[in-house]
Amino acid sequence: MRSHLLLEQVQWKDLVQLGRTDVISELLISLPWLLVSFIFAGFQWYILALFCSFMFFLTGLRQVHNAFHFALGISRPATHWVMFILSIVMLGSMHAVQINHLRHHQYCMQEEDIEAKSATMKWWQALLFGPIFPWMLHKKAFEVGSKTQKKWMSAELVANVIVLFLVFVVLDISVLKYHVSAMLIGQCMTAFFAVWTVHHDTEDHIYMARTVRNEFKRVVTYNMFYHVEHHLFPAVPTRRLHILAKRLDEYDPTVEIRHVF
């Protein structure tokens, strides 16, 4: 009951709308990391390239996460195309991930919640579960998706196959091979970094999620770990979640904060 009273008190609707500068920033936020990762990979400075690829994957997840909730500040048709493009660049079908993510909000930590399967595991189990995780997401999405969603998913997976064929069979460009390999690794790490980190050991918590409060950690992770706030108000864009966090703390400072790190 207390959580419902809290939600009625907290102002959040003023955080939903994004200005033109915000929209442009959201649409381009991952591009610098992608370009720099290509540059470092081209010089074979792979340690630096991997760091930039990790940051690209993080910011790419921020983009698709907002896209899942149509919180990029653009039209719905344009949002679908953003997910399609990121499906090619990051691999996998982002429409398939969207289906499971919205079900995650609906059935959080329940049997039907495929996305949260790794949340109840040990950290090392979540890592080992990683390669199976994308397959489970796509399988479930094709089972429950609409005809339109299945068309998007099929198009994205076909595009993935074409990209993999071009990169590893037709073309001989080491930078592209590096990028695709890094994205494959990233997809296998999402069960740990995108799910376990924000949900582990929260089954008994009022919000069943974790969050952050440290300003430095907030900045370096691009607001991506404000998961309590996101679950409470999924329509609020990621770039505004730190504002929402302050409002939550103000209205109910008695709620225990379980930190991601």
Side-chain angles (χ1 to χ4, degrees), residues 139 146 241:
K139 179 176 181 294
S146 66
L241 289 179

Side-chain angles (χ1 to χ4, degrees), residues 169-197:
V169 178
V170 178
L171 304 175
D172 188 21
I173 303 176
S174 60
V175 170
L176 293 180
K177 292 179 180 178
Y178 158 79
H179 172 74
V180 171
S181 299
M183 293 302 100
L184 287 172
I185 295 172
Q187 290 294 340
C188 291
M189 298 293 285
T190 55
F192 176 79
F193 281 109
V195 180
W196 184 88
T197 55

Side-chain angles (χ1 to χ4, degrees), residues 108-164:
C108 187
M109 307 288 276
Q110 300 177 33
E111 185 63 29
E112 283 296 308
D113 184 6
I114 301 300
E115 182 179 290
K117 288 295 182 184
S118 63
T120 57
M121 300 178 182
K122 302 293 185 182
W123 68 267
W124 58 270
Q125 292 174 322
L127 284 171
L128 293 177
F129 177 66
I132 304 172
F133 182 59
W135 180 83
M136 290 184 64
L137 291 181
H138 286 73
K139 179 176 181 294
K140 188 64 176 181
F142 274 100
E143 290 176 358
V144 302
S146 66
K147 289 184 178 180
T148 300
Q149 289 172 321
K150 289 178 181 179
K151 288 180 181 179
W152 277 110
M153 291 187 287
S154 297
E156 288 162 349
L157 293 178
V158 168
N160 275 205
V161 171
I162 294 173
V163 167
L164 291 172

Side-chain angles (χ1 to χ4, degrees), residues 35-167:
L35 295 177
V36 176
S37 72
F38 278 14
I39 293 171
F40 284 146
F43 284 109
Q44 298 185 353
W45 298 344
Y46 290 116
I47 299 299
L48 293 173
L50 280 170
F51 171 75
C52 293
S53 293
F54 174 83
M55 295 304 295
F56 164 70
F57 203 85
L58 173 69
T59 49
L61 286 177
R62 168 167 160 161
Q63 291 174 302
V64 295
H65 194 208
N66 283 317
F68 295 160
H69 296 279
F70 298 97
L72 283 171
I74 58 178
S75 67
R76 283 181 172 251
T79 300
H80 285 297
W81 282 109
V82 168
M83 285 192 281
F84 180 81
I85 293 170
L86 287 170
S87 296
I88 297 174
V89 182
M90 298 175 67
L91 300 183
S93 167
M94 295 306 159
H95 278 84
V97 182
Q98 180 192 35
I99 290 172
N100 285 280
H101 183 67
L102 296 181
R103 287 171 64 83
H104 169 59
H105 280 268
Q106 183 179 3
Y107 304 107
C108 187
M109 307 288 276
Q110 300 177 33
E111 185 63 29
E112 283 296 308
D113 184 6
I114 301 300
E115 182 179 290
K117 288 295 182 184
S118 63
T120 57
M121 300 178 182
K122 302 293 185 182
W123 68 267
W124 58 270
Q125 292 174 322
L127 284 171
L128 293 177
F129 177 66
I132 304 172
F133 182 59
W135 180 83
M136 290 184 64
L137 291 181
H138 286 73
K139 179 176 181 294
K140 188 64 176 181
F142 274 100
E143 290 176 358
V144 302
S146 66
K147 289 184 178 180
T148 300
Q149 289 172 321
K150 289 178 181 179
K151 288 180 181 179
W152 277 110
M153 291 187 287
S154 297
E156 288 162 349
L157 293 178
V158 168
N160 275 205
V161 171
I162 294 173
V163 167
L164 291 172
F165 178 77
L166 289 174
V167 170

